Amino acid sequence: MSTNALYTDLSGYYDLMCVDIDYKMQSKSIRRLHQLFGEKGLSHLDLACGTGPHVRHFINFGYLSSGLDINQPMLDIAKQRCPDAQFILKNMCDFKVDHPVDLVTCFLYSIHYCDGIDKLMECIVSVHNALNKGGVFCFNVVDKNKIDNKLFVTHSAEYDHSHFVFHSAWHYSGEGERQSLKLSIEKDTQGITEFWQDEHAMVAFNIETLQKLLQPYFEVHIFEHDYERIVPWSGISGNAIFTCVKI
C-alpha cells in the first residue's frame, strides 16, 4: 500500500492517530518564534497541513492562514475544520503562491517527506520564494545519525465502537540520504481486525548539513525540540526546531 493510499484510506482517522499531539502548544511556540524573528506580518502557510489543526490555531491567533498538502481527502477535512482558510493541493517540493506570506510552517517532521536532498533543496527554494523579505520558515527535524532503530511510539484510542492501536518508528540504515518512517495501524471492531502497515521513504540528513543547505537563503537559528521553552540547540540532541529568516 503506497504512502498516499494509506493516508487516503485512513484520512477519517488521521486526527485519532495524532490524538496525543498538542497542536495548540506547538502552534503557540512557533507563533512566539515568529514574533521574535519576523516582521510582524500575519499571513501564514502551513506545508503538509494534513487535516488543518495547526491552521485552525493560527487563525484563532489572528493570522490569515492557509494550508498545502498532497492528499485531497485530508484537505477536505481541513476545509471543514477551517472554512475560512484556503487550501492548496500541491507537493511542497514544488509550489508557488499568489501572494508572498510572512510565515511558512511545516510541523510533525513533514519536511522529511521530500524525496531526497535534491527535492529538499527544491522545497527550500520554493519556501524562500513564497516568503516576504524578512519572512520566517519554521519546521522540525530529526538527525539521521541520532536515530535509534529500536525505539518506537505506541498509543491506542477508542472511536466509533472500534479500538485502534498505532505504532510509529524511525529507521536509518546508517548510510545515504534515505531514512524511513514505519507505521502500523490496527483497528478492532467487535472482534473483526483490520491492519495497515506502511514504510514511508524520507530524506535523511544531519542537522549541520541542513544548516549549510539553508544558509544561502536564510539566517538560520536552531533550537531544542521543546515547544514549552525557547532553548538554543545544544548540538547533542537528535531533534531540533529550525527558525529561518529570509535573507
Side-chain angles (χ1 to χ4, degrees):
M1 188 177 292
S2 70
T3 299
N4 197 49
L6 188 151
Y7 279 132
T8 299
D9 195 21
L10 294 178
S11 58
Y13 301 122
Y14 179 78
D15 289 334
L16 191 65
M17 184 166 62
C18 300
V19 69
D20 290 342
I21 296 171
D22 192 338
Y23 292 107
K24 186 174 183 179
M25 176 67 74
Q26 293 181 2
S27 300
K28 286 176 63 176
S29 176
I30 299 307
R31 177 184 64 161
R32 181 58 178 153
L33 288 169
H34 183 226
Q35 290 172 335
L36 291 172
F37 292 97
E39 297 291 336
K40 311 305 179 186
L42 293 176
S43 54
H44 165 239
L45 173 65
D46 187 31
L47 302 182
C49 67
T51 61
H54 292 105
V55 172
R56 180 70 264 164
H57 286 297
F58 275 93
I59 290 173
N60 294 345
F61 297 153
Y63 281 74
L64 181 63
S65 188
S66 57
L68 179 151
D69 201 282
I70 199 171
N71 185 281
Q72 185 61 55
M74 293 285 196
L75 294 180
D76 293 341
I77 296 170
K79 191 63 177 178
Q80 294 176 14
R81 173 177 270 137
C82 311
D84 42 352
Q86 178 183 3
F87 292 97
I88 307 163
L89 180 66
K90 195 72 175 175
N91 191 314
M92 66 179 177
C93 296
D94 180 20
F95 71 93
K96 295 180 181 179
V97 294
D98 293 333
H99 305 285
V101 297
D102 303 301
L103 172 65
V104 174
T105 56
C106 189
F107 290 94
L108 307 183
Y109 301 100
S110 296
I111 196 74
H112 288 276
Y113 280 105
C114 295
D115 186 15
I117 296 296
D118 289 344
K119 289 296 183 181
L120 175 62
M121 285 305 307
E122 290 181 22
C123 179
I124 290 170
V125 171
S126 292
V127 171
H128 185 266
N129 292 338
L131 283 167
N132 284 314
K133 184 178 180 180
V136 176
F137 180 29
C138 286
F139 58 96
N140 62 332
V141 300
V142 58
D143 188 312
K144 66 180 184 181
N145 296 323
K146 302 295 178 66
I147 290 174
D148 185 342
N149 294 334
K150 298 187 297 293
L151 295 180
F152 60 90
V153 176
T154 299
H155 78 270
S156 60
E158 305 291 332
Y159 177 75
D160 195 23
H161 308 295
S162 295
H163 178 73
F164 290 83
V165 180
F166 304 97
H167 301 272
S168 62
W170 291 112
H171 184 273
Y172 181 58
S173 67
E175 59 183 21
E177 62 181 52
R178 290 289 191 278
Q179 65 192 46
S180 61
L181 176 62
K182 296 184 176 183
L183 292 175
S184 67
I185 304 168
E186 183 178 327
K187 176 188 177 186
D188 185 274
T189 307
Q190 296 180 341
I192 298 174
T193 301
E194 296 175 85
F195 188 75
W196 295 265
Q197 190 168 6
D198 208 353
E199 185 169 336
H200 304 178
M202 308 181 90
V203 65
F205 46 73
N206 62 43
I207 290 174
E208 291 85 356
T209 297
L210 179 59
Q211 182 178 22
K212 291 177 182 177
L213 294 177
L214 289 159
Q215 282 175 335
Y217 303 93
F218 296 95
E219 175 187 300
V220 181
H221 306 271
I222 310 175
F223 299 97
E224 289 293 331
H225 199 264
D226 186 339
Y227 289 109
E228 296 185 2
R229 303 178 301 155
I230 297 175
V231 181
W233 181 57
S234 65
I236 299 172
S237 55
N239 302 278
I241 298 172
F242 275 71
T243 300
C244 308
V245 183
K246 178 175 177 176
I247 297 174

